[in-house]
Amino acid sequence: QVQLVESGGGLVQPGGSLRLSCAASGFTFSNYAMSWYRQAPGKERELVAVITSSRDSTTYADSVKGRFTISRDNAKNTVYLQMNSLKPEDTAVYYCSTFRSLVKLRYWGQGTQVTVSS
């Protein structure tokens, strides 16, 4: 069974940095694209970053380009989101996600809270 477990969230001041991790299990991790989404209070969930199963293939939302970096370690079945120069508007619950076409399901982690505030 697919499991995604995020960690690394917390409280950080504007301009600070945070690194999120997502530990994956229950599928062949290296064969799947991985994504980070976020959902702020009162807003819809939005896509933040994607890393494909191909090397060095990443996509970012315009709002985080140049500040966030998504990466993966296939040996550890883990995807990361390095967040730098954080802004208050980055405050949200961040979710790790992947889609398995075989069972037509998108899987989500439980989410980890990121709060950017002074």
Side-chain angles (χ1 to χ4, degrees):
Q1 54 187 349
V2 173
Q3 292 188 65
L4 302 172
V5 182
E6 302 98 332
S7 62
L11 175 64
V12 64
Q13 294 187 351
S17 297
L18 215 54
R19 190 194 194 200
L20 306 183
S21 298
C22 173
S25 62
F27 62 101
T28 306
F29 180 77
S30 61
N31 289 347
Y32 291 86
M34 299 296 299
S35 302
W36 285 98
Y37 287 76
R38 68 185 181 186
Q39 187 166 25
K43 294 186 177 181
E44 299 296 321
R45 189 170 298 187
E46 65 173 333
L47 179 64
V48 175
V50 179
I51 184 164
T52 69
S53 58
S54 301
R55 290 184 175 179
D56 299 321
S57 182
T58 58
T59 304
Y60 300 92
D62 288 341
S63 59
V64 306
K65 284 182 179 177
R67 300 188 298 120
F68 290 12
T69 302
I70 187 171
S71 62
R72 66 193 297 161
D73 186 337
N74 289 340
K76 296 181 178 179
N77 284 7
T78 301
V79 62
Y80 305 94
L81 185 67
Q82 178 66 47
M83 305 184 294
N84 299 325
S85 302
L86 283 161
K87 305 173 181 179
E89 49 263 46
D90 295 319
T91 295
V93 177
Y94 284 71
Y95 298 91
C96 176
S97 181
T98 191
F99 183 77
R100 297 191 71 194
S101 60
L102 182 62
V103 293
K104 301 178 182 178
L105 289 174
R106 177 168 288 280
Y107 292 88
W108 302 91
Q110 82 287 351
T112 185
Q113 176 71 49
V114 172
T115 302
V116 185
S117 177
S118 59

